[in-house]
Amino acid sequence: MSPPMAEADTLTGLDRALVAFLQEVQPSPDPLHSALAARVSQQFGLGHACLDLASLPPELRQSAASLPWIEGPNSPLVLDGARLYLRRNWQAEQSIRASIAARLAQPCPAPVYLTETLSQLFGAGQSGTAPDWQKVACALAARKRLTLITGGPGTGKTTTVVRLLALLQSDPERQHTPLRIALAAPTGKAAARLGESIASALQKLPEHLQQHIPTQAVTLHKLLQVRSNLTQDAVPGLAVDLVVVDEASMIDLDMMARLLAAVPLSASLVLLGDKDQLASVEAGAVMGQLCAEADLGRYTPDTLAWLAKTTGADVSAWAGSGSALAQQTVMLRLSHRFAGDSGIGQWARAVNAGDVVGVEKLWRQAPGWQATTATSVDRLQPGQLQDPRLTALVKHGWKTWLQTLQPLKTSECSDAQALAALQEFAKFQVLCAVRDGPWGVNNLNQRIAGSLGLPLEGWYAARPVMVTRNDYNLKLMNGDIGLCLNHTRGLRVAFPDGQGGVRWVLPARLDAVETVFAMTVHKSQGSEFDHVALVLPDRPVAVLTRELLYTGMTRAMARLTLVVPQAGVLLHAVAVKVLRSGGLAGL
């Protein structure tokens, strides 16, 4: 049966299989029931936690109450108010809700040394000055067992974490039993960056506050012992006192439920992320929903008074009647990377706000890309893939890398030379909105290789690759980037070891890698590059949204080149916002 009103031409085989299974187990003569089941599965495939019934035609919405597949404690579907869930997603949401409530209810008296140590780390608060949100975040994290810290690029999330770790670890009563701290991130790349950033920021602290602060982060999969399937692997009980997770916007519904279940209620959990970045590839937009009103603050009188007493910060401009979770949510608002008048910062704010008129004005004002002129944001509007300016752009972007590589193509490469080549390669990156099509990753990877005079396939010296699947035997994580070079034992792929050196891997052992002259914006999350060339397709596609634009643009630290074949596609994307259905926003 082809379910009516369920956009049958867009249904996947999995959607149809679910309907067939439900009809086999408990047949329903009502075609609207099949349509609803198909829609729930379809929404899950699109990243939604549930089907929002309010978005449906009245007759379809009303038929939800008579669904035979929502009856009983183990029903495959769950009707919860105006939302229809696959049971697995509903259970994950319920688990998250219960865990958050239990965590916020845990007694966690603020340590007596809190105000004094905060002053050592940040200085004393001064009346009349803007709040130091990093200081506010650290104070609140010492107050409860759960804290959410969100903020855009360069707002100091990692700096805040280092000071928070120093603050909690400096408890004089724990001198002989330091806190057991775990650092994690959703991907290997993000975990490596977190560790590197903490190690760098740690050097700026007073020496007596640097003690017992870890600098090694792991992937969430490794921390939570996920090997095959989230629903099958037993959830570990972590022996920790504090868990800090970076890039939390990338965590899907199932993984967040598992994380909250694994961290004991006696331990503190701090989630860091940019609520405006792309949500997870899998279902759910957990961080975005939990931090939906972070910019408003909504701090109660009790919270305002406590912060004023503890930190000297006046955050009364962000007063409100927020939930218990809102009192533990902090938005870092000052970007140390993008000044108020910086080009990348202006673009990011306009895109994030969905300001189509503002973006159109910025586009008109942006200068055309030139190798001889470095501007914060420039544009390149190629009429075709063969546009010679595209070749010039990538050759200029990797100019120093190509020079570094030249002597290594025919000679054996040392560890120091490999590390230098990796560092130079990482300064420039081509990011794409899509994988397929003329302006997608797959096609551009081949075209870039050809334009640089390199082979289009196979292993060769100078081939950059990205790992696409975790490999614990090789200690390589999804997102790790390596470079194939001539080694004393023949062609080997050099990967950074996270400790200032490299590890060499035989290419034949890498069965899940792809060439990475270009990567998707999704894959770039957790990474930063000096110069980014953001390539859009020549027509609107479903994944091209303001969140994707914002994420791609803010991977650039110094220079952003917008490669836009059709300006209308850029403006269309600014107007499209991802609104994932789910029941966590109310928290």
Side-chain angles (χ1 to χ4, degrees), residues 507-523:
R509 299 192 67 189
L510 298 170
D511 58 353
V513 295
E514 60 187 24
T515 301
V516 71
F517 290 114
M519 71 171 74
T520 62
V521 173
H522 274 91
K523 284 288 188 180

Side-chain angles (χ1 to χ4, degrees), residues 179-226:
L179 290 173
R180 298 166 297 174
I181 300 173
L183 306 175
T187 67
K189 184 71 173 178
R193 279 200 53 78
L194 175 61
E196 292 165 3
S197 299
I198 287 178
S200 175
L202 193 58
Q203 306 306 313
K204 301 173 185 177
L205 290 182
E207 189 172 349
H208 72 282
L209 291 175
Q210 296 182 19
Q211 305 301 312
H212 307 299
I213 296 180
T215 57
Q216 293 295 313
V218 299
T219 63
L220 276 177
H221 278 76
K222 185 171 184 178
L223 177 71
L224 302 178
Q225 301 174 25
V226 177

Side-chain angles (χ1 to χ4, degrees), residues 400-424 454 460-463 483-488 490-492 494 504:
T400 306
W401 176 64
L402 293 170
Q403 291 172 347
T404 303
L405 278 181
Q406 199 57 41
L408 305 180
K409 290 183 179 179
T410 55
S411 62
E412 295 175 356
C413 181
S414 69
D415 286 14
Q417 289 173 315
L419 190 61
L422 282 163
Q423 291 170 343
E424 288 300 332
L454 299 171
Y460 55 86
R463 181 190 177 190
L483 190 58
C484 187
L485 295 165
N486 290 306
H487 190 254
T488 55
L491 280 181
R492 293 292 188 274
W504 298 93

Side-chain angles (χ1 to χ4, degrees), residues 42-289:
Q42 184 185 54
Q43 290 296 89
F44 174 64
L46 294 173
H48 298 274
C50 62
L51 172 62
D52 185 353
L53 298 178
S55 65
L56 302 179
E59 62 273 21
L60 196 54
R61 184 168 62 245
Q62 292 163 8
S63 68
S66 59
L67 275 169
W69 308 308
I70 60 173
E71 300 170 359
N74 297 310
S75 60
L77 305 181
V78 176
L79 181 62
D80 190 344
R83 301 186 183 95
L84 184 62
Y85 291 83
L86 296 173
R87 176 164 289 279
R88 169 179 168 178
N89 289 348
W90 181 80
Q91 288 176 329
E93 271 199 5
Q94 296 306 303
S95 175
I96 291 170
R97 282 175 167 273
S99 181
I100 288 176
R103 224 164 266 286
L104 293 174
Q106 286 293 301
C108 184
V112 294
Y113 65 90
L114 181 59
T115 300
E116 178 184 348
T117 309
L118 282 171
S119 295
Q120 292 180 43
L121 290 165
F122 295 95
Q126 297 179 0
S127 60
T129 61
D132 185 335
W133 290 104
Q134 294 185 22
K135 188 176 183 180
V136 168
C138 287
L140 290 177
R143 187 188 188 204
K144 290 286 184 180
R145 297 297 186 195
L146 175 66
T147 308
L148 308 181
I149 302 175
T150 186
T155 51
K157 293 188 289 293
T158 306
T159 302
T160 303
V161 165
V162 171
R163 293 179 176 180
L164 171 61
L165 297 178
L167 172 70
L168 298 180
Q169 200 67 279
S170 64
D171 185 347
E173 296 183 4
R174 300 194 66 100
Q175 288 182 352
H176 303 294
T177 55
L179 290 173
R180 298 166 297 174
I181 300 173
L183 306 175
T187 67
K189 184 71 173 178
R193 279 200 53 78
L194 175 61
E196 292 165 3
S197 299
I198 287 178
S200 175
L202 193 58
Q203 306 306 313
K204 301 173 185 177
L205 290 182
E207 189 172 349
H208 72 282
L209 291 175
Q210 296 182 19
Q211 305 301 312
H212 307 299
I213 296 180
T215 57
Q216 293 295 313
V218 299
T219 63
L220 276 177
H221 278 76
K222 185 171 184 178
L223 177 71
L224 302 178
Q225 301 174 25
V226 177
R227 298 177 183 85
S228 56
N229 188 299
L230 283 173
T231 60
Q232 295 175 4
D233 292 334
V235 179
L238 299 177
V240 292
D241 300 303
L242 171 64
V243 176
V244 176
V245 182
D246 197 12
E247 297 291 347
S249 62
M250 299 168 66
I251 305 176
D252 61 52
L253 197 63
D254 282 340
M255 186 65 86
M256 185 65 81
R258 185 178 181 88
L259 172 65
L260 287 165
V263 179
L265 291 179
S266 58
S268 296
L269 175 62
V270 178
L271 299 177
L272 303 165
D274 186 344
K275 68 181 180 66
D276 298 314
Q277 276 193 38
L278 282 166
S280 61
V281 175
E282 304 298 332
V286 182
M287 189 71 173
Q289 289 182 2

Side-chain angles (χ1 to χ4, degrees), residues 327-387:
Q327 310 314 301
Q328 288 301 117
T329 302
V330 182
M331 181 172 176
L332 307 181
R333 301 162 193 269
L334 176 62
S335 176
H336 302 278
R337 182 188 305 172
F338 305 133
D341 57 351
S342 77
I344 298 174
Q346 288 181 337
W347 272 90
R349 285 190 294 275
V351 167
N352 210 8
D355 182 0
V356 177
V357 174
V359 169
E360 186 175 18
K361 181 179 178 181
L362 288 170
W363 172 256
R364 289 197 306 267
Q365 294 173 344
W369 176 82
Q370 294 183 35
T372 55
T373 306
T375 55
S376 177
V377 181
D378 47 33
R379 66 176 188 171
L380 199 163
Q381 197 165 3
Q384 56 182 354
L385 277 167
Q386 292 75 21
D387 193 317

